[in-house]
Amino acid sequence: LLKKENETMAAKQQSALPQSPKLPVDAVVASSLLMLPGFNGGSVTLKGMWGKGRAYALAQDIMHGAGLDVSYGANETVCIGKIRETIAPSQELLKNVVEQCPDLLPICAVVMAAAVLEGEPVVLTLPDGDDRFTLTHFLSHCGITEENGMLRAAESVEAQRDSWIAPSPAWAMAFALCSFLMPSLRLSNPNIVSLRYPKFWSVYNGLPKPHREESEEKEEKENAAPVRRRVIAKGVYGELPTPIAEDDI
């Protein structure tokens, strides 16, 4: 009798699960890809549902500060480029990111670097600790120095000649974005990105039209409707940093 009850309960639980559950896009990966048009124009369309948690709300605030024109639909998220100057993340936003979703701090660092290079005075409001150290170390390799709490464009490029080791996939993707602001950056461990988004370098190196897998092309030919791709980048981009090799960005 107990066996039958367990089987019945398991059958009910299985029938309650949707056949094709809808999962939101990864907030960190999505933000990194949506930032691309902010550097050299073009547009990015992400197929999939935008989430409703705190990470997604924080990501929206960061991209709004970056001056990006992003629309969030039920089944896709689209960024069509930059519509105003960059505003560095506020002290409150940085505090919320560190406390609630520290994986978004690298994107904040990219926005801060962009704001500095656009001439905006940026104050580093993070308290002393691991997050501040990683942030300033990242920025120093991107040509940004910290002096008495103020971020400034470095006068020399000595730090940029050294290869940087990203402590996480999110920091590696952010470093790739900063290479549009400051070319010839070198990343020692690009493969770390595969832990979160294995196709990132394929998309990045394939700009302005990311490389498509043979399976995707075959599926598109077989189906009447266009294939639904995770990332579609179009438009005219500037010259990519060179060389773009397995150990460089």
Side-chain angles (χ1 to χ4, degrees):
L1 180 61
L2 181 60
K3 181 179 179 181
K4 289 184 178 180
E5 289 180 353
N6 290 338
E7 290 176 350
T8 302
M9 184 179 296
K12 288 182 179 179
Q13 291 176 345
Q14 185 175 5
S15 62
L17 294 175
Q19 292 183 354
S20 300
K22 291 186 177 181
L23 299 176
V25 296
D26 184 296
V28 176
V29 174
S31 301
S32 300
L33 296 174
L34 291 168
M35 289 282 289
L36 287 171
F39 299 104
N40 295 289
S43 66
V44 168
T45 299
L46 301 183
K47 296 294 183 180
M49 179 177 62
W50 187 260
K52 297 181 180 180
R54 283 297 298 156
Y56 298 92
L58 291 171
Q60 288 182 226
D61 290 341
I62 295 169
M63 289 187 286
H64 178 73
L68 299 176
D69 187 357
V70 185
S71 58
Y72 306 89
N75 299 309
E76 67 178 23
T77 305
V78 182
C79 177
I80 60 174
K82 194 173 175 67
I83 55 175
R84 59 168 173 75
E85 70 281 357
T86 304
I87 300 175
S90 65
Q91 180 177 2
E92 181 182 2
L93 179 55
L94 284 175
K95 180 176 181 292
N96 290 335
V97 165
V98 170
E99 293 178 353
Q100 300 171 24
C101 187
D103 274 356
L104 286 173
L105 184 59
I107 297 295
C108 292
V110 175
V111 178
M112 295 168 77
V116 170
L117 294 177
E118 289 178 17
E120 178 190 352
V122 178
V123 180
L124 184 57
T125 57
L126 281 179
D128 291 338
D130 292 343
D131 292 319
R132 183 187 179 97
F133 174 80
T134 303
L135 177 64
T136 54
H137 194 237
F138 170 90
L139 290 174
S140 69
H141 279 75
C142 300
I144 307 295
T145 62
E146 186 261 329
E147 299 177 6
N148 300 321
M150 292 292 297
L151 297 179
R152 308 178 187 278
E155 295 181 359
S156 67
V157 294
E158 289 300 323
Q160 295 173 244
R161 295 174 182 171
D162 298 330
S163 183
W164 191 61
I165 301 176
S168 72
W171 281 108
M173 288 187 286
F175 202 62
L177 293 176
C178 274
S179 69
F180 288 99
L181 298 171
M182 192 69 64
S184 301
L185 301 184
R186 297 176 60 86
L187 182 63
S188 294
N189 57 336
N191 290 335
I192 194 174
V193 177
S194 299
L195 298 175
R196 189 146 196 168
Y197 183 42
K199 292 185 178 181
F200 178 79
W201 294 120
S202 176
V203 172
Y204 179 85
N205 288 334
L207 293 173
K209 294 184 178 181
H211 172 71
R212 299 174 58 189
E213 301 294 337
E214 292 182 3
S215 58
E216 291 179 329
E217 296 177 353
K218 181 178 179 181
E219 183 180 352
E220 186 175 73
K221 292 179 181 179
E222 293 176 350
N223 298 332
V227 62
R228 288 170 62 106
R229 291 178 289 167
R230 175 62 60 182
V231 180
I232 305 172
K234 53 190 177 182
V236 179
Y237 286 77
E239 183 179 356
L240 292 175
T242 53
I244 301 178
E246 187 175 351
D247 62 343
D248 290 357
I249 60 170

